[in-house]
């Protein structure tokens, strides 16, 4: 094989590898919620008992990163008081609590009862 051809092949392989890296980088920086999860209905009524239980769990487990008010002034960049956050479905918020992302831990196994995680969704809605 000619030397220039080898160089071309090496160059194309490198370009391909770089493109692949860029795509996966963009991919892991998005917190995509599958439509099937976003569409899940909240089975727990947002009554006073649920919100109080959510608040207790939040204070114990989430406040250290998200702050008392849940706005972006605490350590985590997310803002539960923003329009963008409130525009999400209960299912989407529930999914994010379950799966985590980056520095946000996953709570599906840590907070065992599904209803406790739905209580958190109900509480976050009040912030
Ligand atoms: C160790 C710090 C930490 C703890 C503890 C934590 N979070 Fe988070 N959370 C984060 C970070 C950081 C993000 C932003 C992740 C990103 O977008 O990169 C986040 C994002 C979120 C989001 C998504 C916000 C949005 O804009 O859609 C929700 C919902 C959430 N957290 C809920 C909770 C709940 C509920 C708890 C407690 C059970 C909790 N978090 C505990 C760090 C934390």
């Amino acid at each position: 094989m000619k030397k220039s051809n080898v160089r071309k092949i090496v160059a194309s392989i490198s370009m391909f590898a770089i493109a692949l890296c860029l795509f996966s980088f963009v991919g892991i920086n998005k917190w995509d919620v599958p439509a099937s999860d976003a569409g899940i209905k909240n089975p727990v009524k947002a009554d006073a008992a649920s919100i109080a239980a959510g608040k207790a769990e939040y204070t114990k487990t989430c406040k250290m990163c998200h702050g008392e008010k849940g706005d972006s002034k605490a350590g985590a960049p997310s803002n539960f008081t923003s329009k963008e956050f409130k525009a999400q479905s209960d299912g989407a918020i529930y999914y994010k609590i379950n799966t985590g992302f980056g520095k946000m831990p996953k709570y599906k196994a840590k907070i065992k009862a599904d209803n406790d995680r739905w209580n958190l969704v109900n509480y976050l809605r009040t912030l």
Side-chain angles (χ1 to χ4, degrees):
M1 208 185 293
K2 273 207 244 149
K3 228 184 188 168
S4 63
N5 280 350
V6 172
R7 237 183 257 142
K8 266 184 211 152
I9 290 167
V10 170
S12 340
I13 292 172
S14 319
M15 292 290 278
F16 182 71
I18 291 168
L20 211 64
C21 286
L22 283 176
F23 280 130
S24 52
F25 187 67
V26 170
I28 56 167
N29 271 295
K30 271 202 334 206
W31 201 346
D32 283 331
V33 179
S36 54
D37 286 281
I40 293 177
K41 273 233 172 90
N42 185 341
V44 179
K45 197 165 167 256
D47 56 15
S50 165
I51 290 167
K55 182 174 185 176
E57 182 70 60
Y58 181 88
T59 306
K60 193 170 72 167
T61 316
C62 324
K63 200 175 110 182
M64 64 184 100
C65 288
H66 288 286
E68 173 109 50
K69 296 198 189 102
D71 57 18
S72 52
K73 292 190 184 70
S78 39
N79 184 352
F80 302 142
T81 67
S82 70
K83 260 200 214 123
E84 293 75 22
F85 180 77
K86 289 177 194 287
Q88 300 184 70
S89 66
D90 282 4
I93 298 170
Y94 181 70
Y95 176 86
K96 289 179 171 183
I97 295 171
N98 285 340
T99 58
F101 182 81
K103 293 208 179 81
M104 164 72 190
K106 35 169 115 51
Y107 286 102
K108 195 173 165 58
K110 284 186 193 149
I111 299 175
K112 291 205 169 56
D114 290 347
N115 281 5
D116 288 341
R117 281 174 271 113
W118 285 115
N119 288 337
L120 279 165
V121 173
N122 289 339
Y123 176 65
L124 295 188
R125 287 247 178 257
T126 69
L127 294 171

